[in-house]
Amino acid sequence: MPELPEVETIRRDLECTLIGDAIVETEVKDSRLMSKDRVAAWQLAVHDQPVMAFSRRGKFLMILLKNKSTIIFHLRMTGQLVLMKKEPDMAWRLRLRFKSGQQLFFCDQRRFGEVWVLPPGKSWHNQHLPGPDALNELTQEMFVGIIRSRTTKIHPLLMDQKLLSGVGNIYSQEALFKAAIRPSRSGKKISLKEATLLFSTLRETLVAAIEHRGSTSRNYRDAYGREGSAQDLHAVYRKGGKPCPRCQKPLQASRVGGRGAVYCRQCQR
DNA sequence: AGCAGCCTGTCA
DNA sequence: TGACAGGCTGCT
């Protein structure tokens, strides 16, 4: 799915294009996204509302409306938010039409994505509340504390959205490679020095990916339907068997916590 | 901690 | 045909 850098790229695109524009009409095409009996309430909440801001926390994208309602998107694995004048070629699940004539389509091949609307003054359901945003909120001290107090393997630890939010399977693997730490290491067994280094490599990885407008391995597109180029930076993600960029030995493909994880047996300990 | 399930598509 | 895919929840 889109991870933090991809969602941030989309957020910035939408911010450039839609601030101040009002939603004049919406259409829900997939009842799995929103049941038919909820559509009327949804439309009442968002129709004729100008967009005040786009924000992001972890992988959640929020649209703040003038009436203080908030639309929240989670794109999961294959969700896309694309601005188009006419209907896209692929199937779409939701359309937001704006006063300017712009249309925002929510496309989502695997249909895991979700959308909610929060009424004014209401906050996140605790169940969904993400931990501190990996880029905007997480400090080095917080990170080191989170990592070194748990026995969970570091790869799933970095991807636990309740602990820190925004990191997924691509950027966890990349940050671990740069910090020379194996994905299967227990958080508790990571030294203070290593945890500090990992905090830096994670930040660098995320920042560089945003600068390259996200990683397109298959489905991801920005809000203008364009591919990102951060995949060109990947050292290990989906590169099992290829030579390690540092030592040239073949990279090891493995599974850690039920997820694919590629690492270098020589460089990462 | 590990796995099925939610979906659809691609690749070997 | 089966395995796997950028995520997450809920169950055991």
Side-chain angles (χ1 to χ4, degrees):
Chain A
M1 125 158 188
E3 303 180 25
L4 186 154
E6 290 75 32
V7 179
E8 178 62 18
T9 302
I10 294 169
R11 190 198 69 77
R12 291 180 185 185
D13 289 350
L14 296 178
E15 190 174 69
C16 287
T17 316
L18 290 177
I19 292 289
D21 211 345
I23 300 168
V24 291
E25 187 190 293
T26 62
E27 190 180 349
V28 180
K29 206 176 219 187
D30 182 355
S31 60
R32 183 179 294 275
L33 186 65
M34 194 183 306
S35 61
K36 292 224 163 70
D37 54 333
R38 286 197 185 160
V39 172
W42 149 267
Q43 291 179 333
L44 197 63
V46 308
H47 279 190
D48 301 319
Q49 290 304 315
V51 172
M52 305 307 284
F54 290 92
S55 66
R56 182 190 58 73
R57 178 158 169 158
K59 304 173 192 175
F60 290 91
L61 179 70
M62 282 87 75
I63 308 180
L64 290 87
L65 303 177
K66 191 167 186 194
N67 69 0
K68 307 285 185 196
S69 294
T70 307
I71 300 171
I72 306 177
F73 282 98
H74 198 302
L75 305 179
R76 301 279 192 223
M77 297 282 263
T78 57
Q80 302 176 358
L81 283 170
V82 279
L83 287 161
M84 303 206 85
K85 290 271 195 293
K86 52 178 200 157
E87 291 195 28
D89 296 331
M90 73 193 94
W92 50 271
R93 308 180 72 193
L94 173 70
R95 168 189 11 219
L96 305 185
R97 205 160 60 74
F98 289 82
K99 198 169 184 177
S100 64
Q102 290 270 23
Q103 300 186 90
L104 183 63
F105 290 92
F106 180 34
C107 304
D108 184 13
Q109 184 181 92
R110 291 176 72 176
R111 299 163 71 208
F112 291 168
E114 292 183 77
V115 63
W116 304 266
V117 60
L118 275 185
K122 212 157 175 217
S123 60
W124 297 71
H125 197 286
N126 266 347
Q127 196 183 5
H128 292 297
L129 186 69
D133 183 84
L135 215 46
N136 297 335
E137 295 167 323
L138 188 72
T139 65
Q140 187 184 98
E141 290 70 29
M142 289 158 73
F143 180 77
V144 170
I146 289 167
I147 294 308
R148 301 189 70 225
S149 63
R150 278 161 239 261
T151 57
T152 314
K153 291 170 179 171
I154 186 66
H155 182 47
L157 205 48
L158 291 181
M159 294 192 290
D160 186 333
Q161 305 298 303
K162 298 262 189 313
L163 301 178
L164 59 145
S165 64
V167 181
N169 201 23
I170 296 177
Y171 299 110
S172 174
Q173 289 178 55
E174 293 300 320
L176 288 166
F177 173 77
K178 285 188 202 158
I181 298 169
R182 285 202 188 192
S184 55
R185 279 269 294 285
S186 157
K188 264 213 164 106
K189 293 195 173 163
I190 288 173
S191 71
L192 182 58
K193 196 176 165 190
E194 286 174 315
T196 307
L197 173 62
L198 182 56
F199 179 74
S200 304
T201 63
L202 183 59
R203 287 194 71 88
E204 285 163 14
T205 304
L206 295 172
V207 168
I210 292 170
E211 284 169 356
H212 286 73
R213 305 188 55 78
S215 301
T216 297
S217 87
R218 171 163 303 168
N219 286 280
Y220 167 72
R221 297 290 184 280
D222 67 21
Y224 306 112
R226 301 175 306 196
E227 298 186 357
S229 62
Q231 65 278 7
D232 300 342
L233 307 175
H234 295 170
V236 291
Y237 173 68
R238 285 208 175 183
K239 291 188 193 287
K242 298 222 168 87
C244 166
R246 195 181 292 157
C247 75
Q248 313 307 319
K249 289 221 165 81
L251 293 169
Q252 178 72 45
S254 70
R255 292 194 85 74
V256 180
R259 310 290 303 279
V262 178
Y263 67 95
C264 177
R265 298 167 68 174
Q266 174 85 17
C267 301
Q268 291 170 263
R269 298 290 171 160

